Amino acid sequence: MADAASNDGFVVFDRVQKSYDGETLVVKDLNLSVAKGEFLTMLGPSGSGKTTCLMMLAGFETATHGDIRLGGQPINNIPPHKRGIGMVFQNYALFPHMTIAENLSFPLEVRKIGKSDREAKIKRALDMVEMGDFGGRRPAQLSGGQQQRVALARALVFEPELVLMDEPLGALDKQLREKMQFEITHLAHELGITTVYVTHDQTEALTMSDNVAVFDDGRIQQLAPPDQLYERPENSFVAQFIGENNTLEGVVTEINGDKCIVKLDDGEIIDATPINVNKVGDRTIVSIRPERVEYNKERLQEGVHTLKAEVLEFIYMGDIFRTRLRVAGNDEFIIKTRNAPDVERLTPGQQIEIGWLPSDCRALDA
Ligand SMILES: Nc1ncnc2c1ncn2[C@@H]1O[C@H](COP(=O)(O)OP(=O)(O)OP(=O)(O)O)[C@@H](O)[C@H]1O
Ligand SMILES: [Mg+2]
């Protein structure tokens, strides 16, 4: 995956802005490059501009400023039917009066594909989503999940180079959603399709994508593969948005290369890694994942600062223990510990000492 807005991406957003009313920008200076065959997800809260970006890419909206390029060409120079884009939207209606096979035939007829070719492609697409036996039915005779699969088959039947999906699994129950997440990524990779996928479900984004663009307020806050996004959030928005994170507030009192010391507001001292704090005196929110906090004395690293904590709640969850602590005045400090014979089960009221590797604790903008 190339860096933002390089010219070699298959899909490129180059300094794209969008305003609907001529005043407020709902997309602000967006740079994004999606490589051929890549599965990219736009993830972000409601109203952050995800659908707007997809609509501009599809050609249903135009950018107010900047360029969108597809295969190196500005998209507004390519007529919609030549863009080769397949689309699946949330509750994207199938044509109710047509059979499933006719629904799939439609995009092929539009592209002037002959009858015998059409039949072969329809069969292949329906088989792909395991709906091969349903070609003669009408949409109303299918379950919601089956309709979603047909919508997916219809988006893929003409073998588009690019598929856009906007919350395509939103209406499905958890089990079917997870199955479809797997099917979609599997198909996209198998067929070498470039996919731009929109969701506000972070688990979905993490499990499906090669890269995730985290949106907030019309900007990409971070663009990275799932593991990097989770383990190395670059700012406090991303740290808060992806997964669970404990936060403590304080002031940077020392910076030494990739280590810094933070004095928390209640006076305690901790070690952290400076991410987007620049100098001594900067206010910071430090963030630590619940599974990276250690309370077993033997496992606490020599020489790093520890913090006193009071156990408020201990929840046995089977595979893990989830413990809520009061740490530096924060009553919502969570730690997760793997359930193992040598791990102590804590009791509310107990006083413990916690610590972490400085590399697991990130000092971010306040
Ligand atoms: N056709 C439109 N006319 C005017 N404003 C619009 C239009 N479509 C979207 N907006 C505004 O643009 C902003 C971004 O909307 P968009 O639909 O892109 O968000 P989103 O990230 O897809 O949100 P959601 O997760 O709720 O679908 C919102 O403030 C929205 O109100
Ligand atoms: Mg949307």
Side-chain angles (χ1 to χ4, degrees):
M1 145 99 219
D3 274 343
S6 69
N7 288 320
D8 38 332
F10 180 57
V11 174
V12 174
F13 284 77
D14 189 357
R15 285 167 300 147
V16 170
Q17 298 186 341
K18 174 69 181 176
S19 175
Y20 286 105
D21 59 7
E23 280 177 25
T24 34
L25 291 174
V26 299
V27 173
K28 301 165 182 166
D29 199 36
L30 187 92
N31 293 302
L32 175 67
S33 171
V34 188
K36 196 138 180 95
E38 180 178 334
F39 197 110
L40 176 117
T41 297
M42 296 176 169
L43 171 72
S46 185
S48 57
K50 307 179 297 294
T51 297
T52 300
C53 287
L54 221 56
M55 288 297 177
M56 290 190 290
L57 185 51
F60 300 136
E61 290 289 348
T62 50
T64 311
H65 283 290
D67 281 322
I68 302 176
R69 293 191 289 275
L70 183 61
Q73 274 197 66
I75 201 156
N76 36 346
N77 293 352
I78 312 170
H81 68 277
K82 290 214 170 134
R83 288 181 192 178
I85 302 179
M87 286 171 231
V88 192
F89 294 124
Q90 181 174 8
N91 304 322
Y92 192 39
L94 299 168
F95 304 119
H97 56 288
M98 292 184 187
T99 65
I100 299 312
E102 286 162 359
N103 264 276
L104 266 71
S105 186
F106 182 75
L108 298 172
E109 287 168 38
V110 170
R111 288 173 177 79
K112 311 254 184 284
I113 294 176
K115 189 159 188 290
S116 65
D117 251 8
R118 281 206 307 266
E119 279 166 5
K121 285 182 196 292
I122 292 167
K123 179 174 184 324
R124 179 157 172 249
L126 285 180
D127 284 347
M128 253 176 348
V129 295
E130 292 170 35
M131 291 293 292
D133 296 337
F134 295 81
R137 293 212 199 168
R138 287 181 199 281
Q141 297 168 307
L142 301 181
S143 74
Q146 289 169 334
Q147 291 182 36
Q148 286 286 354
R149 276 145 75 181
V150 172
L152 183 63
R154 188 174 61 177
L156 298 175
V157 71
F158 60 98
E159 292 158 29
E161 289 189 287
L162 176 64
V163 175
L164 310 182
M165 302 194 207
D166 194 349
E167 310 252 2
L169 309 181
L172 306 186
D173 67 47
K174 185 167 181 288
Q175 210 177 345
L176 192 55
R177 203 161 64 219
E178 284 169 2
K179 181 170 183 287
M180 290 290 290
Q181 287 169 0
F182 175 78
E183 282 179 12
I184 290 173
T185 40
H186 186 74
L187 273 176
H189 283 134
E190 193 177 34
L191 301 177
I193 293 172
T194 308
T195 310
V196 180
Y197 191 93
V198 167
T199 183
H200 58 250
D201 178 336
Q202 45 143 319
T203 311
E204 192 163 295
L206 292 182
T207 53
M208 296 180 78
S209 321
D210 296 318
N211 282 294
V212 180
V214 180
F215 274 66
D216 186 40
D217 193 25
R219 288 183 202 279
I220 294 180
Q221 301 291 326
Q222 187 170 354
L223 170 63
D227 59 338
Q228 267 190 41
L229 212 54
Y230 185 84
E231 287 173 36
R232 298 205 288 275
E234 279 167 7
N235 58 45
S236 43
F237 176 81
V238 177
Q240 289 310 297
F241 196 73
I242 309 285
E244 200 171 18
N245 247 319
N246 293 300
T247 55
L248 298 169
E249 291 189 36
V251 174
V252 178
T253 58
E254 248 182 82
I255 300 192
N256 237 324
D258 60 354
K259 293 224 170 71
C260 69
I261 307 260
V262 174
K263 184 174 181 197
L264 301 179
D265 288 346
D266 78 332
E268 297 204 71
I269 302 292
I270 60 164
D271 305 87
T273 304
I275 304 302
N276 60 350
V277 289
N278 303 314
K279 55 184 194 308
V280 169
D282 275 1
R283 278 203 67 76
T284 178
I285 293 179
V286 297
S287 92
I288 314 110
R289 294 279 178 206
E291 67 273 22
R292 294 295 170 93
V293 179
E294 189 62 70
Y295 61 87
N296 181 331
K297 279 224 170 63
E298 283 91 71
R299 294 215 205 103
L300 287 174
Q301 202 190 35
E302 290 273 327
V304 299
H305 290 96
T306 56
L307 281 180
K308 290 190 192 345
E310 180 185 340
V311 178
L312 299 178
E313 199 174 9
F314 178 83
I315 304 172
Y316 176 88
M317 296 183 75
D319 56 344
I320 63 158
F321 304 144
R322 182 182 168 88
T323 313
R324 187 163 62 86
L325 305 174
R326 175 177 299 140
V327 177
N330 174 358
D331 281 0
E332 298 296 330
F333 197 100
I334 303 295
I335 60 179
K336 290 183 193 160
T337 322
R338 193 172 54 90
N339 179 359
D342 63 330
V343 174
E344 182 190 356
R345 298 187 190 190
L346 302 168
T347 338
Q350 197 177 341
Q351 304 290 329
I352 58 173
E353 246 178 77
I354 58 168
W356 46 76
L357 295 176
S359 55
D360 285 333
C361 178
R362 302 169 68 78
L364 301 162
D365 55 295

